């Protein structure tokens, strides 16, 4: 408020004028809810330790929206790639030692199709299935789809020295890779309710990338 003075009947009196400041929030509250924009939050644009050879920026953004909340805000770190580490499941398991975050496996097959899995835990040799309902399968063949846990069983991840598998039920894996990381198979399974991730049930691997979040 801003004071001004004037003389009245020989006395000095003060006259005050008030200026009302209206905030943007008050205007919005009177006029209704604020209009939301379509701009995507930066949360879905992760930083990568190095460029991906298999995923386009748009594909990375789509996948980011489905990752477990505990990975959000962490950079993607390339933990393993067949281009750098070779086609060996033993090497894959070795590079996973010391990891303690979920890992994202991205596969590109000989048909040029991209698909894979998000594992709630790093890959390891196991006596039985392990993992949690954070695990999911995905494919960009022909369009982007994510297959989350159906709750039907808990056959999330199974690691052997001669294979790596995701999902099960009905005698089929949702995704399976051999010990050379060269031959793979995808089939519908009860764990994720997915369809075949690749064009054909049997496929040949061109490249694999595995990303951790740390």
């Amino acid at each position: 408020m801003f004071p001004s003075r004037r003389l009245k009947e020989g006395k000095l009196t003060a006259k005050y004028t008030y200026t009302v400041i209206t905030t943007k929030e008050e205007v919005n509250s009177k006029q209704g809810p604020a209009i939301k924009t379509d701009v995507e939050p930066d949360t879905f644009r992760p930083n990568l330790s190095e460029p991906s050879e298999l995923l386009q920026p748009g594909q990375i953004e789509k996948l980011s929206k489905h990752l477990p909340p505990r990975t959000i805000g962490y950079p993607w770190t390339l933990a393993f790639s067949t281009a750098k580490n070779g086609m060996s499941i033993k090497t894959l398991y070795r590079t996973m030692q010391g990891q303690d975050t979920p890992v994202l496996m991205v596969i590109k097959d000989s048909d040029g199709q991209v698909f894979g899995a998000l594992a709630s835990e790093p890959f390891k040799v196991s006596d039985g299935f392990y993992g949690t309902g954070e695990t999911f399968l995905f494919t960009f063949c022909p369009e982007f789809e994510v297959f989350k846990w159906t709750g039907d069983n808990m056959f999330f991840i199974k690691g052997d020295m001669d294979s790596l598998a995701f999902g099960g039920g009905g005698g089929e894996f949702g995704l399976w890779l051999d010990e050379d990381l060269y031959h793979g198979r995808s089939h519908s399974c009860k764990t994720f309710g997915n369809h075949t991730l690749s064009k054909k049930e049997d496929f040949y691997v061109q490249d694999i990338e595995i990303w951790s979040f740390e």
Side-chain angles (χ1 to χ4, degrees), residues 3-4 16 23 34 81 83 112 122-123 125 132-133 154 156 169 175 177 186 199:
S4 60
Y16 295 91
T23 66
S81 75
F123 303 122
V125 176
T132 71
M154 300 182 71
F156 299 115
L175 178 60
L177 295 170
S186 177
K199 279 186 176 181

Side-chain angles (χ1 to χ4, degrees), residues 21-127:
I21 300 174
T22 305
T23 66
K24 181 180 178 181
E25 288 75 14
E26 290 173 327
V27 171
N28 287 338
S29 66
K30 293 177 182 178
Q31 294 181 346
I35 298 173
K36 295 181 179 179
T37 65
D38 292 327
V39 177
E40 293 288 351
D42 290 337
T43 304
F44 298 132
R45 300 188 181 94
N47 293 319
L48 276 63
S49 62
E50 54 192 281
S52 171
E53 299 295 327
L54 307 184
L55 291 171
Q56 300 297 321
Q59 293 174 322
I60 292 170
E61 206 167 308
K62 288 178 179 178
L63 277 170
S64 296
K65 296 176 184 179
H66 296 276
L67 295 177
R70 61 191 174 115
T71 68
I72 302 302
Y74 288 93
W76 291 25
T77 302
L78 188 62
F80 173 89
S81 75
T82 50
K84 292 183 177 181
N85 302 106
M87 309 280 281
S88 168
I89 200 167
K90 292 180 181 178
T91 304
L92 187 159
Y93 290 138
R94 191 161 54 248
T95 60
M96 293 291 101
Q97 294 176 0
Q99 300 283 349
D100 61 357
T101 76
V103 290
L104 180 71
M105 171 181 276
V106 183
I107 300 168
K108 185 175 184 179
D109 69 9
S110 57
D111 289 325
Q113 303 302 315
V114 175
F115 48 90
L118 183 283
S120 59
E121 301 175 33
F123 303 122
K124 61 186 178 183
V125 176
S126 57
D127 292 331

